[in-house]
mmCIF file of all heavy atoms in Angstrom:
data_model
loop_
_atom_site.group_PDB
_atom_site.id
_atom_site.type_symbol
_atom_site.label_atom_id
_atom_site.label_comp_id
_atom_site.label_asym_id
_atom_site.label_seq_id
_atom_site.Cartn_x
_atom_site.Cartn_y
_atom_site.Cartn_z
ATOM 1 N N LYS A 1339 0.815 -1.218 0.000
ATOM 2 C CA LYS A 1339 0.000 0.000 0.000
ATOM 3 C C LYS A 1339 0.849 1.269 0.000
ATOM 4 O O LYS A 1339 0.645 2.167 -0.827
ATOM 5 C CB LYS A 1339 -0.944 0.001 1.204
ATOM 6 C CG LYS A 1339 -2.065 -1.022 1.110
ATOM 7 C CD LYS A 1339 -3.015 -0.898 2.296
ATOM 8 C CE LYS A 1339 -4.156 -1.914 2.186
ATOM 9 N NZ LYS A 1339 -5.091 -1.804 3.346
ATOM 10 N N VAL A 1340 1.781 1.350 0.932
ATOM 11 C CA VAL A 1340 2.606 2.561 1.053
ATOM 12 C C VAL A 1340 3.437 2.792 -0.198
ATOM 13 O O VAL A 1340 3.457 3.905 -0.761
ATOM 14 C CB VAL A 1340 3.532 2.477 2.282
ATOM 15 C CG1 VAL A 1340 4.522 3.638 2.294
ATOM 16 C CG2 VAL A 1340 2.711 2.483 3.563
ATOM 17 N N SER A 1341 4.131 1.764 -0.656
ATOM 18 C CA SER A 1341 5.009 1.929 -1.818
ATOM 19 C C SER A 1341 4.227 2.214 -3.091
ATOM 20 O O SER A 1341 4.683 2.979 -3.952
ATOM 21 C CB SER A 1341 5.887 0.681 -2.006
ATOM 22 O OG SER A 1341 5.109 -0.490 -2.025
ATOM 23 N N THR A 1342 3.028 1.641 -3.223
ATOM 24 C CA THR A 1342 2.213 1.902 -4.411
ATOM 25 C C THR A 1342 1.713 3.337 -4.432
ATOM 26 O O THR A 1342 1.734 3.996 -5.484
ATOM 27 C CB THR A 1342 1.007 0.933 -4.471
ATOM 28 O OG1 THR A 1342 1.480 -0.409 -4.543
ATOM 29 C CG2 THR A 1342 0.149 1.214 -5.695
ATOM 30 N N LYS A 1343 1.278 3.841 -3.281
ATOM 31 C CA LYS A 1343 0.822 5.237 -3.203
ATOM 32 C C LYS A 1343 1.949 6.197 -3.585
ATOM 33 O O LYS A 1343 1.753 7.130 -4.371
ATOM 34 C CB LYS A 1343 0.326 5.550 -1.793
ATOM 35 C CG LYS A 1343 -1.001 4.900 -1.429
ATOM 36 C CD LYS A 1343 -1.388 5.237 0.005
ATOM 37 C CE LYS A 1343 -2.694 4.553 0.404
ATOM 38 N NZ LYS A 1343 -3.038 4.840 1.823
ATOM 39 N N CYS A 1344 3.124 5.973 -3.017
ATOM 40 C CA CYS A 1344 4.267 6.845 -3.315
ATOM 41 C C CYS A 1344 4.672 6.741 -4.782
ATOM 42 O O CYS A 1344 4.969 7.752 -5.436
ATOM 43 C CB CYS A 1344 5.452 6.478 -2.423
ATOM 44 S SG CYS A 1344 5.198 6.815 -0.662
ATOM 45 N N TRP A 1345 4.671 5.522 -5.309
ATOM 46 C CA TRP A 1345 5.049 5.313 -6.710
ATOM 47 C C TRP A 1345 4.087 6.024 -7.651
ATOM 48 O O TRP A 1345 4.507 6.631 -8.645
ATOM 49 C CB TRP A 1345 5.110 3.829 -7.023
ATOM 50 C CG TRP A 1345 5.111 3.498 -8.485
ATOM 51 C CD1 TRP A 1345 4.155 2.840 -9.185
ATOM 52 C CD2 TRP A 1345 6.139 3.832 -9.437
ATOM 53 N NE1 TRP A 1345 4.503 2.733 -10.500
ATOM 54 C CE2 TRP A 1345 5.716 3.335 -10.686
ATOM 55 C CE3 TRP A 1345 7.355 4.504 -9.344
ATOM 56 C CZ2 TRP A 1345 6.478 3.486 -11.834
ATOM 57 C CZ3 TRP A 1345 8.115 4.664 -10.500
ATOM 58 C CH2 TRP A 1345 7.688 4.158 -11.723
ATOM 59 N N LEU A 1346 2.799 5.958 -7.366
ATOM 60 C CA LEU A 1346 1.807 6.591 -8.237
ATOM 61 C C LEU A 1346 1.994 8.107 -8.271
ATOM 62 O O LEU A 1346 1.793 8.745 -9.311
ATOM 63 C CB LEU A 1346 0.390 6.242 -7.776
ATOM 64 C CG LEU A 1346 -0.047 4.798 -8.050
ATOM 65 C CD1 LEU A 1346 -1.435 4.536 -7.475
ATOM 66 C CD2 LEU A 1346 -0.021 4.484 -9.538
ATOM 67 N N VAL A 1347 2.382 8.697 -7.147
ATOM 68 C CA VAL A 1347 2.667 10.139 -7.116
ATOM 69 C C VAL A 1347 3.799 10.458 -8.081
ATOM 70 O O VAL A 1347 3.710 11.387 -8.898
ATOM 71 C CB VAL A 1347 3.030 10.605 -5.690
ATOM 72 C CG1 VAL A 1347 3.559 12.050 -5.715
ATOM 73 C CG2 VAL A 1347 1.817 10.517 -4.775
ATOM 74 N N HIS A 1348 4.880 9.693 -7.989
ATOM 75 C CA HIS A 1348 6.034 9.927 -8.865
ATOM 76 C C HIS A 1348 5.713 9.597 -10.321
ATOM 77 O O HIS A 1348 6.212 10.262 -11.238
ATOM 78 C CB HIS A 1348 7.222 9.083 -8.400
ATOM 79 C CG HIS A 1348 7.843 9.570 -7.138
ATOM 80 N ND1 HIS A 1348 8.388 10.828 -7.006
ATOM 81 C CD2 HIS A 1348 7.995 8.965 -5.924
ATOM 82 C CE1 HIS A 1348 8.866 10.986 -5.790
ATOM 83 N NE2 HIS A 1348 8.629 9.875 -5.107
ATOM 84 N N LEU A 1349 4.898 8.578 -10.536
ATOM 85 C CA LEU A 1349 4.522 8.193 -11.897
ATOM 86 C C LEU A 1349 3.732 9.304 -12.574
ATOM 87 O O LEU A 1349 3.993 9.652 -13.738
ATOM 88 C CB LEU A 1349 3.697 6.911 -11.867
ATOM 89 C CG LEU A 1349 3.294 6.318 -13.231
ATOM 90 C CD1 LEU A 1349 4.541 5.923 -14.021
ATOM 91 C CD2 LEU A 1349 2.376 5.107 -13.037
ATOM 92 N N ILE A 1350 2.791 9.888 -11.847
ATOM 93 C CA ILE A 1350 1.981 10.984 -12.390
ATOM 94 C C ILE A 1350 2.853 12.190 -12.683
ATOM 95 O O ILE A 1350 2.755 12.812 -13.750
ATOM 96 C CB ILE A 1350 0.849 11.347 -11.411
ATOM 97 C CG1 ILE A 1350 -0.166 10.204 -11.330
ATOM 98 C CG2 ILE A 1350 0.155 12.637 -11.851
ATOM 99 C CD1 ILE A 1350 -1.190 10.370 -10.227
ATOM 100 N N LEU A 1351 3.729 12.542 -11.728
ATOM 101 C CA LEU A 1351 4.629 13.674 -11.943
ATOM 102 C C LEU A 1351 5.552 13.419 -13.133
ATOM 103 O O LEU A 1351 5.782 14.316 -13.954
ATOM 104 C CB LEU A 1351 5.472 13.920 -10.689
ATOM 105 C CG LEU A 1351 4.746 14.523 -9.483
ATOM 106 C CD1 LEU A 1351 5.682 14.582 -8.280
ATOM 107 C CD2 LEU A 1351 4.219 15.917 -9.814
ATOM 108 N N GLY A 1352 6.053 12.194 -13.228
ATOM 109 C CA GLY A 1352 6.938 11.852 -14.332
ATOM 110 C C GLY A 1352 6.248 11.966 -15.676
ATOM 111 O O GLY A 1352 6.839 12.448 -16.659
ATOM 112 N N PHE A 1353 4.998 11.528 -15.734
ATOM 113 C CA PHE A 1353 4.229 11.629 -16.977
ATOM 114 C C PHE A 1353 4.011 13.098 -17.360
ATOM 115 O O PHE A 1353 4.164 13.479 -18.528
ATOM 116 C CB PHE A 1353 2.878 10.932 -16.825
ATOM 117 C CG PHE A 1353 1.989 11.069 -18.035
ATOM 118 C CD1 PHE A 1353 2.177 10.271 -19.152
ATOM 119 C CD2 PHE A 1353 0.972 12.029 -18.060
ATOM 120 C CE1 PHE A 1353 1.373 10.409 -20.278
ATOM 121 C CE2 PHE A 1353 0.158 12.173 -19.176
ATOM 122 C CZ PHE A 1353 0.364 11.364 -20.292
ATOM 123 N N ILE A 1354 3.676 13.924 -16.392
ATOM 124 C CA ILE A 1354 3.431 15.352 -16.652
ATOM 125 C C ILE A 1354 4.695 16.024 -17.162
ATOM 126 O O ILE A 1354 4.673 16.745 -18.172
ATOM 127 C CB ILE A 1354 2.927 16.063 -15.381
ATOM 128 C CG1 ILE A 1354 1.527 15.551 -15.009
ATOM 129 C CG2 ILE A 1354 2.907 17.583 -15.580
ATOM 130 C CD1 ILE A 1354 1.031 16.067 -13.670
ATOM 131 N N PHE A 1355 5.825 15.811 -16.476
ATOM 132 C CA PHE A 1355 7.084 16.444 -16.871
ATOM 133 C C PHE A 1355 7.531 15.976 -18.260
ATOM 134 O O PHE A 1355 7.985 16.784 -19.081
ATOM 135 C CB PHE A 1355 8.185 16.146 -15.849
ATOM 136 C CG PHE A 1355 7.924 16.719 -14.490
ATOM 137 C CD1 PHE A 1355 8.386 16.079 -13.343
ATOM 138 C CD2 PHE A 1355 7.210 17.901 -14.344
ATOM 139 C CE1 PHE A 1355 8.154 16.613 -12.091
ATOM 140 C CE2 PHE A 1355 6.968 18.444 -13.086
ATOM 141 C CZ PHE A 1355 7.438 17.792 -11.955
ATOM 142 N N ALA A 1356 7.407 14.677 -18.527
ATOM 143 C CA ALA A 1356 7.818 14.134 -19.824
ATOM 144 C C ALA A 1356 6.935 14.667 -20.941
ATOM 145 O O ALA A 1356 7.424 15.027 -22.025
ATOM 146 C CB ALA A 1356 7.765 12.604 -19.796
ATOM 147 N N ASP A 1357 5.629 14.740 -20.678
ATOM 148 C CA ASP A 1357 4.689 15.229 -21.686
ATOM 149 C C ASP A 1357 4.953 16.695 -22.010
ATOM 150 O O ASP A 1357 4.996 17.083 -23.191
ATOM 151 C CB ASP A 1357 3.253 15.046 -21.172
ATOM 152 C CG ASP A 1357 2.219 15.444 -22.223
ATOM 153 O OD1 ASP A 1357 2.220 14.829 -23.304
ATOM 154 O OD2 ASP A 1357 1.417 16.360 -21.959
ATOM 155 N N GLU A 1358 5.146 17.501 -20.972
ATOM 156 C CA GLU A 1358 5.406 18.935 -21.180
ATOM 157 C C GLU A 1358 6.747 19.155 -21.876
ATOM 158 O O GLU A 1358 6.884 20.046 -22.726
ATOM 159 C CB GLU A 1358 5.376 19.679 -19.845
ATOM 160 C CG GLU A 1358 4.010 19.732 -19.189
ATOM 161 C CD GLU A 1358 2.985 20.439 -20.063
ATOM 162 O OE1 GLU A 1358 3.334 21.453 -20.696
ATOM 163 O OE2 GLU A 1358 1.834 19.966 -20.133
ATOM 164 N N ALA A 1359 7.744 18.344 -21.518
ATOM 165 C CA ALA A 1359 9.057 18.466 -22.154
ATOM 166 C C ALA A 1359 8.960 18.151 -23.645
ATOM 167 O O ALA A 1359 9.561 18.850 -24.481
ATOM 168 C CB ALA A 1359 10.055 17.532 -21.475
ATOM 169 N N TYR A 1360 8.190 17.126 -23.977
ATOM 170 C CA TYR A 1360 8.031 16.740 -25.383
ATOM 171 C C TYR A 1360 7.313 17.829 -26.174
ATOM 172 O O TYR A 1360 7.749 18.197 -27.276
ATOM 173 C CB TYR A 1360 7.245 15.434 -25.473
ATOM 174 C CG TYR A 1360 6.947 15.009 -26.893
ATOM 175 C CD1 TYR A 1360 7.922 14.403 -27.670
ATOM 176 C CD2 TYR A 1360 5.685 15.246 -27.457
ATOM 177 C CE1 TYR A 1360 7.661 14.017 -28.977
ATOM 178 C CE2 TYR A 1360 5.416 14.869 -28.767
ATOM 179 C CZ TYR A 1360 6.407 14.259 -29.524
ATOM 180 O OH TYR A 1360 6.143 13.899 -30.818
ATOM 181 N N ILE A 1361 6.239 18.362 -25.611
ATOM 182 C CA ILE A 1361 5.464 19.411 -26.289
ATOM 183 C C ILE A 1361 6.322 20.649 -26.513
ATOM 184 O O ILE A 1361 6.353 21.221 -27.611
ATOM 185 C CB ILE A 1361 4.209 19.777 -25.475
ATOM 186 C CG1 ILE A 1361 3.225 18.604 -25.469
ATOM 187 C CG2 ILE A 1361 3.533 21.025 -26.049
ATOM 188 C CD1 ILE A 1361 2.041 18.808 -24.548
ATOM 189 N N CYS A 1362 7.033 21.062 -25.465
ATOM 190 C CA CYS A 1362 7.876 22.257 -25.574
ATOM 191 C C CYS A 1362 9.022 22.052 -26.561
ATOM 192 O O CYS A 1362 9.400 22.975 -27.295
ATOM 193 C CB CYS A 1362 8.432 22.638 -24.202
ATOM 194 S SG CYS A 1362 7.190 23.308 -23.071
ATOM 195 N N TYR A 1363 9.561 20.824 -26.577
ATOM 196 C CA TYR A 1363 10.661 20.539 -27.508
ATOM 197 C C TYR A 1363 10.189 20.646 -28.947
ATOM 198 O O TYR A 1363 10.921 21.180 -29.809
ATOM 199 C CB TYR A 1363 11.228 19.151 -27.236
ATOM 200 C CG TYR A 1363 12.383 18.789 -28.143
ATOM 201 C CD1 TYR A 1363 13.637 19.377 -27.956
ATOM 202 C CD2 TYR A 1363 12.217 17.882 -29.187
ATOM 203 C CE1 TYR A 1363 14.698 19.056 -28.794
ATOM 204 C CE2 TYR A 1363 13.271 17.562 -30.028
ATOM 205 C CZ TYR A 1363 14.513 18.149 -29.826
ATOM 206 O OH TYR A 1363 15.565 17.840 -30.663
ATOM 207 N N GLN A 1364 8.999 20.148 -29.218
ATOM 208 C CA GLN A 1364 8.445 20.252 -30.564
ATOM 209 C C GLN A 1364 8.227 21.708 -30.949
ATOM 210 O O GLN A 1364 8.472 22.111 -32.098
ATOM 211 C CB GLN A 1364 7.128 19.466 -30.653
ATOM 212 C CG GLN A 1364 7.271 17.958 -30.469
ATOM 213 C CD GLN A 1364 8.231 17.336 -31.467
ATOM 214 O OE1 GLN A 1364 8.221 17.655 -32.658
ATOM 215 N NE2 GLN A 1364 9.083 16.436 -30.985
ATOM 216 N N MET A 1365 7.771 22.515 -30.002
ATOM 217 C CA MET A 1365 7.589 23.946 -30.246
ATOM 218 C C MET A 1365 8.926 24.620 -30.516
ATOM 219 O O MET A 1365 9.042 25.477 -31.408
ATOM 220 C CB MET A 1365 6.909 24.596 -29.027
ATOM 221 C CG MET A 1365 5.474 24.128 -28.796
ATOM 222 S SD MET A 1365 4.800 24.718 -27.217
ATOM 223 C CE MET A 1365 4.807 26.501 -27.492
ATOM 224 N N TRP A 1366 9.945 24.214 -29.757
ATOM 225 C CA TRP A 1366 11.283 24.788 -29.922
ATOM 226 C C TRP A 1366 11.840 24.462 -31.309
ATOM 227 O O TRP A 1366 12.456 25.311 -31.959
ATOM 228 C CB TRP A 1366 12.193 24.223 -28.829
ATOM 229 C CG TRP A 1366 13.607 24.704 -28.894
ATOM 230 C CD1 TRP A 1366 14.076 25.945 -28.579
ATOM 231 C CD2 TRP A 1366 14.751 23.935 -29.307
ATOM 232 N NE1 TRP A 1366 15.432 26.008 -28.757
ATOM 233 C CE2 TRP A 1366 15.880 24.789 -29.199
ATOM 234 C CE3 TRP A 1366 14.929 22.623 -29.730
ATOM 235 C CZ2 TRP A 1366 17.158 24.362 -29.515
ATOM 236 C CZ3 TRP A 1366 16.206 22.198 -30.043
ATOM 237 C CH2 TRP A 1366 17.297 23.054 -29.938
ATOM 238 N N ARG A 1367 11.608 23.234 -31.774
ATOM 239 C CA ARG A 1367 12.060 22.835 -33.104
ATOM 240 C C ARG A 1367 11.346 23.631 -34.190
ATOM 241 O O ARG A 1367 11.911 23.871 -35.267
ATOM 242 C CB ARG A 1367 11.805 21.344 -33.324
ATOM 243 C CG ARG A 1367 12.709 20.438 -32.505
ATOM 244 C CD ARG A 1367 12.508 18.992 -32.875
ATOM 245 N NE ARG A 1367 12.826 18.740 -34.281
ATOM 246 C CZ ARG A 1367 12.647 17.583 -34.909
ATOM 247 N NH1 ARG A 1367 12.133 16.560 -34.224
ATOM 248 N NH2 ARG A 1367 12.950 17.438 -36.175
ATOM 249 N N ASP A 1368 10.106 24.038 -33.906
ATOM 250 C CA ASP A 1368 9.340 24.812 -34.883
ATOM 251 C C ASP A 1368 9.633 26.304 -34.793
ATOM 252 O O ASP A 1368 9.000 27.111 -35.488
ATOM 253 C CB ASP A 1368 7.836 24.574 -34.668
ATOM 254 C CG ASP A 1368 7.431 23.144 -35.021
ATOM 255 O OD1 ASP A 1368 8.157 22.519 -35.810
ATOM 256 O OD2 ASP A 1368 6.402 22.671 -34.506
ATOM 257 N N GLY A 1369 10.553 26.685 -33.909
ATOM 258 C CA GLY A 1369 10.957 28.077 -33.810
ATOM 259 C C GLY A 1369 10.138 28.933 -32.853
ATOM 260 O O GLY A 1369 10.280 30.156 -32.838
ATOM 261 N N VAL A 1370 9.278 28.289 -32.049
ATOM 262 C CA VAL A 1370 8.492 29.027 -31.065
ATOM 263 C C VAL A 1370 9.375 29.314 -29.850
ATOM 264 O O VAL A 1370 9.963 28.406 -29.264
ATOM 265 C CB VAL A 1370 7.246 28.222 -30.624
ATOM 266 C CG1 VAL A 1370 6.440 29.017 -29.605
ATOM 267 C CG2 VAL A 1370 6.404 27.881 -31.842
ATOM 268 N N THR A 1371 9.460 30.590 -29.467
ATOM 269 C CA THR A 1371 10.386 31.022 -28.425
ATOM 270 C C THR A 1371 10.176 30.294 -27.099
ATOM 271 O O THR A 1371 11.128 29.850 -26.445
ATOM 272 C CB THR A 1371 10.247 32.540 -28.184
ATOM 273 O OG1 THR A 1371 10.456 33.231 -29.419
ATOM 274 C CG2 THR A 1371 11.281 33.016 -27.167
ATOM 275 N N ILE A 1372 8.929 30.156 -26.690
ATOM 276 C CA ILE A 1372 8.621 29.536 -25.397
ATOM 277 C C ILE A 1372 9.037 28.070 -25.346
ATOM 278 O O ILE A 1372 9.074 27.453 -24.270
ATOM 279 C CB ILE A 1372 7.104 29.672 -25.096
ATOM 280 C CG1 ILE A 1372 6.801 29.382 -23.612
ATOM 281 C CG2 ILE A 1372 6.312 28.730 -25.991
ATOM 282 C CD1 ILE A 1372 7.413 30.338 -22.655
#
């Protein structure tokens, strides 16, 4: 129970950071400043 709860927190954060990094990288390749 404890390890699964903690893991899910990190899994969600990891998904968010990876998704945002990918989106921003694609924007950067297209010349968008942000």
Side-chain angles (χ1 to χ4, degrees):
K1339 290 184 179 180
V1340 172
S1341 52
T1342 299
K1343 288 178 182 178
C1344 293
W1345 164 246
L1346 288 177
V1347 170
H1348 288 300
L1349 184 63
I1350 292 170
L1351 288 175
F1353 176 80
I1354 293 172
F1355 296 149
D1357 184 60
E1358 293 300 320
Y1360 176 78
I1361 292 173
C1362 289
Y1363 181 74
Q1364 295 303 317
M1365 294 171 64
W1366 179 73
R1367 289 186 61 185
D1368 292 337
V1370 180
T1371 304
I1372 195 64

